[in-house]
Amino acid sequence: MRDESKILLGLLSVAVFLPVVVTDDYVMHLLIMACFYAVLASSLNVIVGYVGELSLGHTAYLGIGAYAAALSATSLGLSIGWTVAIAALAAGLAGLVIGALTLRLEGPYFVIVTLSFAEVLRIISNNWVAVTNGPMGISGVPGPHFDLGPLQFAVSSKAEFFYLALALAVVALFALHRFVYSNMGRAAVAIRESRYVAQSIGVNPFRYALVAFVLGAVFAGIAGAFYAHYITFVGPDVFGFSFMATMLIMVLIGGKGTLVGPIIGAVLVVFLEEYLRAVEEIRFSIFGILVMIVVLFFPDGLVGLRRALRRRSDRAKAAPHPSIVPSVSDVAPGMTEAEAAERNR
Amino acid sequence: MVFDLALQFTVNGLVTGAFYALSALGLTLIFGMMRVVNFAHGEFYMMGGILGYYLTAVLGLNFFLTIAIVVLLMGGFGFLVDWVLIRPLRGKDILTTALVTIGLSIFLVNTFLVLAGTAPRKIETPFASKPLIFGPVVITEARVFAVCFGAAVIFAAHLLIQKTRLGKAMRATFQQKEAAALAGINVERIYGFTLALGAAMAAVSGVLLGSIFVAQPTVGGLISLKAFVVVILGGMGSFAGAVLGGLILGVTESLWGGFVSTGYQDVIGFALVILILLIRPQGLFRTEVERV
């Protein structure tokens, strides 16, 4: 089994027992938010970490998912199974359209245009009062309710919400794991490392990037649907830049281009924001400084730090290999260019 | 009647457009030429406004002296930002530098919120808000002054880049970095200076707009986005394009807000960017394309 899968299963087995150990409702709330953000950050990571494109419009899919779920639950009275499906579909379609339009653009343009899409959606949700109720948002979204014939089940306690969020995280991570370690995921990484080399071996950059883009959008939409049912309120701020900055920071601090990174980032940021409350006024200033420090000194995040330490000890043990010519096939998912070069040396 | 109104909206739009142009010019240097997706640009603008307020209202300095001090301070700050944050990341992908500027932006907004509070500040100028009437069009003296001053700053920046030795070195650096370095240009210093100039121009724009409207710590986000829109409308790194793009955006927004709806006014810029890049992926006023 791969290292990464082991860590993921380890995290899961710890998480399953958390509601038994944790009795405080507020801490449970933080854990639920950490699960939500883990799904969201992981979905962004597909695009930022594996395809290597900076999409700043990821809140578009979060928001579409949240609004789709909230609207179908409040005005159509659908249960959570349907609302999540509708949210995933709506966000996936948006991802397909936006991805198809933007992935042909050059780096800086891509950044701004994806951001523009999210901003347009934010302004529409703020003004289209007939549907979105404008700045007032949609309140009173019903809690999750499962209706499986004889088995009726309503999610209401924090522990139940936690297991629901955890289940979503497991589904998301499983799907992303399958994607990342499939040929498609390898192709996406090849594109990230070198567009030209990828093309020369027959990888169509646009097609693989689009698949990853849609996958990311779908899971952001699902996260949005969970958010709508858990918070019970959806307003225009789900399209806002603060969600975008938060998930980006999570991906970055944890380690982009790894499956474990965004999860660690999500947990860390959710709890860090909480514990920095002690210094209320300046906590966001400290946050900004932390982001700068991480980018400057730990560009591969915490996961990268661990790898760097392990590599150092490996190097001390092993004798140098004869050098071979690096090839794209030697670039495994989750490796940066430097690490691939290291491995191929 | 409708024509008179349209004229008034156009003039209002040109005034706002002039400031869009001014703040976007700073960004066209940083984003268009240095290729740093600078999310702290709106915060440079905001800092200009807040500094301007403290220098005029609290220290009681003259308006022009204030602008000179703001230019020096913010220029120095820009140079420092380049030195500490951007230089170590030179040669990295745009993702990395964008993230560092997002961190900087979060830090600056929240630090200024603590230092200056949320209250909007108005900067006093020697020019009254007395209205001047030209036929059907009404415009205040302060606005005319601010636009003229902004235009002068744009012209000065143009001269600096086109006519001076320093400007020549800047242009050389952004055309061919290695060749410029070989010719004896201190490339690192040019990068620092470019960011300094960009920050100073954003800050001047902040002071001028703070004298017409108000200066507030949270204003930066929207300004950054608008400046990005203008830079893309005008074409990355194009000076004339940024001015034209700013004016186009200002006038379109003002006409739309006046005749159609104010709620959707802010959509226009983003919609324009999306449309333009779909039709011309290389930007409005640029010809070469790089991406496969």
Side-chain angles (χ1 to χ4, degrees):
Chain A
M1 204 194 272
R2 289 186 189 88
D3 258 16
E4 203 158 40
S5 322
K6 278 187 217 157
I7 299 173
L8 287 174
L9 284 177
L11 284 174
L12 176 63
S13 51
V14 173
V16 167
F17 293 106
L18 279 175
V20 182
V21 187
V22 179
T23 47
D24 186 48
D25 257 7
Y26 192 67
V27 177
M28 274 321 290
H29 165 72
L30 293 180
L31 288 169
I32 294 167
M33 289 313 281
C35 278
F36 157 74
Y37 273 117
V39 176
L40 194 58
S42 298
S43 75
L44 176 67
N45 184 37
V46 188
I47 298 156
V48 172
Y50 287 98
V51 184
E53 294 278 4
L54 177 55
S55 163
L56 286 185
H58 209 62
T59 46
Y61 319 116
L62 170 75
I64 285 176
Y67 269 102
L71 286 172
S72 55
T74 50
S75 42
L76 302 177
L78 294 176
S79 69
I80 186 162
W82 289 105
T83 58
V84 168
I86 290 172
L89 192 70
L93 274 177
L96 187 67
V97 173
I98 296 177
L101 292 176
T102 56
L103 281 168
R104 295 178 193 277
L105 297 170
E106 202 186 324
Y109 291 128
F110 177 84
V111 176
I112 303 305
V113 173
T114 48
L115 182 58
S116 297
F117 272 106
E119 275 299 303
V120 168
L121 287 170
R122 187 182 62 79
I123 297 168
I124 290 175
S125 68
N126 217 350
N127 284 285
W128 196 11
V129 179
V131 173
T132 62
N133 204 18
M136 309 274 288
I138 301 167
S139 53
V141 181
H145 182 90
F146 291 95
D147 186 1
L148 309 163
L151 190 69
Q152 300 263 343
F153 183 68
V155 175
S156 53
S157 78
K158 294 281 179 204
E160 287 162 358
F161 264 111
F162 176 74
Y163 282 121
L164 181 63
L166 189 63
L168 285 183
V170 169
V171 171
L173 262 299
F174 181 72
L176 294 181
H177 189 275
R178 290 302 299 257
F179 171 77
V180 165
Y181 289 103
S182 70
N183 281 341
M184 266 194 283
R186 296 204 171 89
V189 173
I191 299 164
R192 180 189 72 196
E193 295 305 327
S194 167
R195 215 182 164 78
Y196 300 103
V197 174
Q199 274 181 319
S200 75
I201 57 166
V203 171
N204 178 345
F206 180 73
R207 210 176 76 209
Y208 288 103
L210 190 60
V211 171
F213 208 81
V214 172
L215 192 70
V218 165
F219 282 106
I222 292 176
F226 175 80
Y227 179 85
H229 283 288
Y230 176 58
I231 306 287
T232 72
F233 170 80
V234 176
D237 64 325
V238 285
F239 289 111
F241 194 68
S242 72
F243 267 110
M244 189 64 234
T246 309
M247 59 176 134
L248 199 57
I249 290 166
M250 287 168 173
V251 171
L252 167 82
I253 289 184
K256 58 178 193 281
T258 65
L259 288 174
V260 185
I263 303 175
I264 297 176
V267 175
L268 202 70
V269 170
V270 166
F271 281 88
L272 199 65
E273 253 193 47
E274 199 48 43
Y275 287 108
L276 283 179
R277 264 185 211 281
V279 284
E280 191 57 65
E281 279 196 312
I282 56 163
R283 74 183 163 130
F284 287 112
S285 302
I286 295 178
F287 219 69
I289 294 176
L290 273 179
V291 171
M292 291 188 271
I293 290 177
V294 168
V295 179
L296 285 176
F297 301 109
F298 313 105
D300 291 322
L302 290 173
V303 174
L305 198 65
R306 196 184 76 98
R307 274 209 203 120
L309 289 176
R310 201 177 49 190
R311 205 160 50 224
R312 192 169 296 169
S313 67
D314 280 358
R315 202 177 305 159
K317 274 182 258 163
H321 309 288
S323 81
I324 45 169
V325 181
S327 65
V328 171
S329 61
D330 283 346
V331 182
M335 288 180 110
T336 63
E337 211 160 15
E339 284 169 77
E342 188 84 45
R343 195 175 88 166
N344 293 332
R345 193 164 292 149
Chain B
M1 188 57 209
V2 173
F3 182 73
D4 287 357
L5 263 179
L7 212 60
Q8 177 69 50
F9 289 140
T10 308
V11 170
N12 291 352
L14 285 173
V15 173
T16 353
F19 299 113
Y20 285 163
L22 191 56
S23 60
L25 271 183
L27 192 65
T28 208
L29 295 172
I30 300 172
F31 176 46
M33 294 175 116
M34 291 174 70
R35 292 291 159 120
V36 172
V37 185
N38 179 25
F39 278 97
H41 200 70
E43 275 65 46
F44 294 160
Y45 166 99
M46 172 275 286
M47 286 167 79
I50 303 278
L51 278 176
Y53 171 78
Y54 277 105
L55 291 174
T56 50
V58 179
L59 295 182
L61 294 182
N62 168 290
F63 185 72
F64 294 100
L65 184 61
T66 297
I67 287 194
I69 295 176
V70 166
V71 165
L72 283 179
L73 281 179
M74 289 304 295
F77 183 72
F79 200 87
L80 196 71
V81 166
D82 180 71
W83 195 45
V84 177
L85 295 179
I86 310 293
R87 184 185 289 194
L89 301 175
R90 208 92 76 204
K92 293 269 175 70
D93 53 0
I94 58 161
L95 173 78
T96 319
T97 46
L99 284 171
V100 95
T101 62
I102 288 176
L104 178 65
S105 151
I106 295 174
F107 169 71
L108 289 175
V109 179
N110 291 292
T111 308
F112 271 79
L113 270 175
V114 173
L115 294 178
T118 45
R121 318 277 190 187
K122 179 119 173 62
I123 299 171
E124 295 302 323
T125 60
F127 297 89
S129 50
K130 192 177 67 170
L132 302 171
I133 299 164
F134 304 97
V137 176
V138 182
I139 185 169
T140 65
E141 207 173 272
R143 288 186 179 213
V144 174
F145 158 73
V147 169
C148 291
F149 197 91
V153 171
I154 292 174
F155 187 64
H158 173 76
L159 285 184
L160 176 74
I161 290 173
Q162 292 302 328
K163 302 288 177 198
T164 63
R165 223 178 131 74
L166 182 66
K168 211 179 205 173
M170 275 172 72
R171 283 179 288 138
T173 303
F174 294 116
Q175 270 172 23
Q176 234 310 325
K177 189 179 160 189
E178 287 76 17
L182 280 175
I185 295 169
N186 185 341
V187 178
E188 287 303 324
R189 195 178 298 159
I190 293 295
Y191 274 114
F193 180 76
T194 308
L195 215 148
L197 187 61
M201 289 179 76
V204 170
S205 172
V207 177
L208 290 177
L209 224 60
S211 72
I212 295 183
F213 303 111
V214 285
Q216 239 175 329
T218 48
V219 76
L222 190 65
I223 297 290
S224 287
L225 289 179
K226 289 262 163 91
F228 276 119
V229 164
V230 171
V231 169
I232 287 191
L233 286 183
M236 308 264 291
S238 159
F239 225 71
V243 174
L244 204 61
L247 294 178
I248 290 175
L249 183 67
V251 172
T252 328
E253 275 188 0
S254 168
L255 287 174
W256 181 279
F259 288 116
V260 189
S261 95
T262 46
Y264 284 105
Q265 197 172 334
D266 286 334
V267 162
I268 290 171
F270 302 116
L272 275 178
V273 160
I274 293 171
L275 270 179
I276 284 175
L277 288 181
L278 293 184
I279 302 163
R280 282 181 65 83
Q282 68 276 35
L284 203 52
F285 301 104
R286 214 182 65 159
T287 43
E288 80 269 34
V289 201
E290 283 165 35
R291 182 99 172 224
V292 191

